[in-house]
Amino acid sequence: MNDELELAIIGAGFAGLHMLYRAVGSKRNVRLFEAGSSVGGTWHWNRYPGARVDVESMAYCYAFSPELQQDWDWTERYSPQPELLRYANHVADRFGLREHIQLDTRIVTAVFDEDRHRWTLTTQTGERILARHCVLATGLLHAPKRVQMRGLDSYRGIQAYTSQWPQGIDLAGKRVVVIGTGSSGIQTISEVAKIASHLTVLQRTPSYVIPARNHVLDEDYLRQMKARYEELRLRQFESMGGFFPLAFLDDPHPKFNALEVSPEQRKAIYDANWAAGGLSFYTAFKDLLLDPAANETCADYVRSRIREAVNDPATADKLTPRYPILARRLCAGTGYYEVYNQANVDLVDVNASPIEGAVPEGLMVGGKLLACDIIIFATGFDALTGAIEKIDVRGRGGRTIKAHWAEGVSTYAGMMCAGFPNLMMMNGPSSPSAFWAPIQIAEYQAGWIERCLNHLARTGLDCIEARPECEAQWMQTVEQIAAPTLFAQVKSWYFGDNIPNKKHRMLVYLGGYAAYCAECEHGAADGYQNFKLSAVESRAAVAVAV
Ligand code: NA7
C-alpha cells in the first residue's frame, strides 16, 4: 500500500494528462493510473484502420499552452490516430508527466472511507492505493458496446472491436463483415473496402456522412493559422459544438434561420458546407436543431448527395437516413458512399435481414450463411457512464455509482455526485463534452478542480460533495435545454438509447461552453454554495465562510 496520495487520477487520455499537468504544477502528491500500456486514452485503444479525429486538428488539441500550440505541427486537416498518440506522448514528455504515471494498472474498485475522508482504490493485481481525492478521467467513449449473439463462441474467424482494436490483423484479401455504421464504422469501411476481397456491411441505422475533405496541411497554412490561434480559439469557445469550421474563420456563420433565405441562397450555403466538408453543417443555419422544417431542408440536401454518389438506386435508398440530420452525430467520411459502387462491397439492411447468430463459418443473416474470415464490430460505446461503471465505485453508505444512476444518470455539472465526496469526474455524464470539445472542457474542469482543492486547503477542510438538490437542479437544466431540440426526437447514444436497459436520460449539457463555465463558477461562488464541505475532525458538514 502506498502512502496516501492527495490526488489519484484514473485515465491517461487528454483529460487525465491535463489534470496531472495542473496537479504536478501545484506540487500535489499525485499519481495517475492507466489501464493501457501507453498514454493517449481513446487514441491508444481506437486503432482501427482509418481511425482519425473528425474535428480539425488545429482545434482538437490543448489550448492551455500557447508554446505547445505554436511548436506542434499537425500534418493533416484531421489527425490520424497514430499522430494523436504521438501528440499525447509528446505532452507527457514535454511537461515531465511520465514519472507520475503508472501504466498497465486497471483500477477495479474505489471505496470511500467516511471516517477518514479518503478513497481506497484497488488495482486488478490487488494493489491498494489511498487517496484523499480521486479524479475519474476514464473517457466519455471508452467502454465498448458488446454484441451478444447466438453461436458467437463457435465462430472460427477473427472478431475485432473497433474500440479495442487488436494488433496485427491483416485484412488484405479477406472476407470481412462490418457491423455498425456510425463514425467508427464509416471510417473503417472506407479503408477495408480497399483491401478486402469482399466486404459486407451490416447496417441497422444509416448515418448522414459528409465528405471530410481531409488533406495534408502545408507550411503556409500552418503559419497562417498559428498566427490566428487566439481568434481561432475565441470562435471555438463561442461556437455551438466546439468544432468551429476553420474554413469559415473569416466569415463565421450561422447568420440566418434556414427558411429566412431563398431556396437558391439556401442551396448555395449547403453547397459551400458540402465543399468545406466535415462537421460544418452543424453551423450552416441557426435553427437546424430546433425547427423540423429547417432541418428537413438540410437533410434533403444531403439525401440528394447520397443519390448522386451511389450508382444503384436501391442501395442509395438503403443508405438514406429518414430521421432529422444532426440529431444523431453527423459523420465525416472519405469516399464513403462511393464504396458501395465497388463490386467487392455489399450492403445489408439488418432490419429487413436480421443477424440471426453466428456459426463456425460466419454469420446467419436473413436466413442465409454469410461466410467470412473477420467480423468487425463497430457497434459503439456505453457512452459517458460505461467507463465509470466498470469500476466498482462506492460512496457514502457503500452505495454504488451504478445504484446512484439506476433510475437515470445524475451528476452535478458532469463533475460530482451527491453521496460520493471527493470524487470528481472529467467529461462526465451531463457535462457538455459529448457535444462540445472534450479537450477544452477538460482544461476548464482541471482548473475548476485545482481551485476547489486550493479552497479546501485554505479553509482547513478536506471533504466536498455536491448537494442533492443542486444535482437535481442541474439535471433539470440539462433536460430543459435538450427538450425543445431535435436531439430529443431521435434515439441515440446521447440519451443512452443504444444500450439495452440503460435508462433514457439526456447525457449531455447542450448549453455551450460559456454557459457551462458560468454555471460551474456560480456553484463554486460564496464558499462553494452548491456543495457540502466538511473536515474529518468534525465529521459534520459545516458551512464555510471565506
Ligand atoms: P456509434 O455512433 O454508436 O455507432 C454504432 C453503430 O453500430 C450504429 O450504426 C449502431 O446501429 C450499430 N450497432 C450497434 N449494435 C448493433 C447491433 N447489435 N446490430 C447491428 N448494428 C448495431 O459508435 P461509433 O463508435 O461509430 O461512434 C461513436 C462516437 O465516436 C461518434 O458519435 C463520434 O462522436 C466519435 P444503431 O444506430 O444502434 O441502430
Side-chain angles (χ1 to χ4, degrees):
M1 166 118 44
N2 296 0
D3 292 340
E4 180 174 312
L5 298 169
E6 180 180 5
L7 181 62
I9 303 169
I10 306 178
F14 285 3
L17 286 180
H18 187 62
M19 186 69 242
L20 182 61
Y21 162 78
R22 296 293 300 250
V24 168
S26 303
K27 307 222 173 330
R28 297 192 193 285
N29 180 12
V30 57
R31 192 146 192 83
L32 185 152
F33 303 90
E34 164 59 51
S37 58
S38 95
V39 302
T42 293
W43 304 108
H44 167 77
W45 299 102
N46 282 255
R47 304 157 175 255
Y48 58 84
R52 65 174 71 243
V53 63
D54 60 5
V55 172
E56 292 178 74
S57 320
M58 298 209 61
Y60 187 84
C61 53
Y62 291 116
F64 75 91
S65 163
E67 296 78 18
L68 173 64
Q69 281 190 160
Q70 292 299 325
D71 291 350
W72 184 265
D73 286 335
W74 294 107
T75 62
E76 296 183 50
R77 183 182 185 193
Y78 302 98
S79 314
Q81 172 268 335
E83 189 169 13
L84 287 155
L85 202 55
R86 268 203 304 283
Y87 177 73
N89 276 284
H90 170 78
V91 168
D93 291 330
R94 180 180 181 120
F95 296 104
L97 305 180
R98 286 211 191 271
E99 62 181 288
H100 308 282
I101 299 174
Q102 193 169 318
L103 297 172
D104 298 308
T105 306
R106 181 174 291 285
I107 302 297
V108 291
T109 68
V111 179
F112 185 65
D113 178 336
E114 292 185 61
D115 293 328
R116 296 200 171 113
H117 286 177
R118 69 182 184 198
W119 286 90
T120 304
L121 311 179
T122 316
T123 71
Q124 84 278 28
T125 58
E127 184 191 354
R128 293 210 305 151
I129 298 127
L130 299 178
R132 175 72 66 199
H133 299 276
C134 179
V135 168
L136 300 176
T138 42
L140 54 151
L141 295 163
H142 175 68
K145 182 198 164 180
R146 301 250 169 226
V147 173
Q148 315 291 338
M149 68 171 77
R150 195 164 43 81
L152 201 51
D153 287 348
S154 71
Y155 173 59
R156 284 199 299 258
I158 296 171
Q159 300 176 37
Y161 276 81
T162 51
S163 49
Q164 289 191 341
W165 192 255
Q167 302 278 19
I169 298 187
D170 183 9
L171 300 162
K174 301 283 179 5
R175 297 163 305 167
V176 181
V177 168
V178 174
I179 303 179
T181 50
S183 296
S184 306
I186 65 110
Q187 288 188 338
T188 307
I189 288 162
S190 295
E191 290 303 309
V192 175
K194 292 178 192 163
I195 52 173
S197 64
H198 195 88
L199 167 64
T200 307
V201 175
L202 301 184
Q203 170 191 275
R204 190 162 69 184
T205 308
S207 291
Y208 290 95
V209 184
I210 310 298
R213 306 207 190 282
N214 185 41
H215 53 78
V216 167
L217 299 179
D218 62 35
E219 271 180 39
D220 262 6
Y221 179 84
L222 285 172
R223 202 173 34 251
Q224 281 170 30
M225 294 311 290
K226 283 182 181 182
R228 301 180 71 181
Y229 239 128
E230 251 179 74
E231 188 186 347
L232 185 163
R233 291 297 185 193
L234 201 68
R235 295 266 175 259
Q236 183 184 17
F237 287 124
E238 289 165 356
S239 71
M240 174 184 60
F243 35 76
F244 178 78
L246 301 191
F248 297 103
L249 194 52
D250 286 320
D251 181 22
H253 60 300
K255 294 188 186 68
F256 309 107
N257 289 325
L259 298 172
E260 266 169 18
V261 300
S262 69
E264 294 72 27
Q265 283 172 307
R266 200 160 49 237
K267 177 164 182 316
I269 288 175
Y270 289 144
D271 283 344
N273 281 278
W274 187 261
L279 304 182
S280 65
F281 273 87
Y282 279 104
T283 48
F285 288 103
K286 288 193 283 189
D287 56 349
L288 292 178
L289 275 161
L290 295 169
D291 177 0
N295 185 285
E296 190 60 14
T297 65
C298 185
D300 254 351
Y301 177 87
V302 177
R303 290 174 192 141
S304 72
R305 291 294 194 164
I306 299 172
R307 286 194 293 276
E308 272 169 31
V310 181
N311 297 340
D312 172 35
T315 306
D317 192 56
K318 275 193 241 173
L319 287 165
T320 299
R322 315 284 173 204
Y323 53 85
I325 191 169
L326 311 176
R328 291 160 56 100
R329 184 65 141 80
L330 194 62
C331 297
T334 299
Y336 176 68
Y337 290 120
E338 291 75 6
V339 154
Y340 295 96
N341 298 331
Q342 291 182 208
N344 67 330
V345 179
D346 284 330
L347 176 68
V348 176
D349 172 3
V350 300
N351 302 299
S353 305
I355 306 170
E356 286 139 3
V359 291
E361 303 77 24
L363 294 172
M364 294 303 298
V365 178
K368 292 191 194 132
L369 172 65
L370 173 56
C372 58
D373 306 307
I374 299 167
I375 304 171
I376 298 178
F377 294 94
T379 45
F381 299 89
D382 184 355
L384 291 141
T385 54
I388 295 172
E389 287 185 344
K390 265 166 81 173
I391 303 170
D392 184 6
V393 179
R394 290 169 190 265
R396 285 198 191 281
R399 184 173 157 81
T400 64
I401 200 104
K402 261 192 176 164
H404 188 67
W405 291 342
E407 292 311 311
V409 74
S410 179
T411 74
Y412 178 81
M415 277 202 283
M416 296 193 80
C417 290
F420 295 82
N422 293 0
L423 184 76
M424 323 272 194
M425 292 168 277
M426 298 181 81
N427 289 324
S430 76
S431 77
S433 62
F435 197 70
W436 220 83
I439 300 178
Q440 274 60 55
I441 296 296
E443 287 181 320
Y444 170 75
Q445 290 175 333
W448 191 96
I449 292 168
E450 268 292 309
R451 282 181 283 130
C452 174
L453 298 188
N454 289 341
H455 175 84
L456 290 174
R458 250 196 336 268
T459 50
L461 300 168
D462 58 19
C463 190
I464 177 165
E465 68 185 288
R467 292 184 185 279
E469 65 277 18
C470 298
E471 183 171 315
Q473 177 64 50
W474 180 265
M475 294 312 298
Q476 213 181 330
T477 303
V478 168
E479 289 182 333
Q480 274 168 356
I481 297 173
T485 71
L486 298 181
F487 288 107
Q489 296 188 15
V490 177
K491 288 200 157 138
S492 75
W493 62 257
Y494 293 136
F495 288 86
D497 298 323
N498 63 329
I499 301 296
N501 302 323
K502 188 164 173 173
K503 285 273 185 240
H504 173 91
R505 192 163 204 194
M506 186 44 162
L507 295 162
V508 191
Y509 172 88
L510 293 176
Y513 182 80
Y516 175 71
C517 298
E519 293 268 13
C520 293
E521 295 305 314
H522 174 75
D526 293 329
Y528 288 80
Q529 59 186 347
N530 288 357
F531 299 87
K532 281 190 271 184
L533 292 93
S534 56
V536 79
E537 289 79 13
S538 70
R539 295 227 199 108
V542 293
V544 183
V546 272

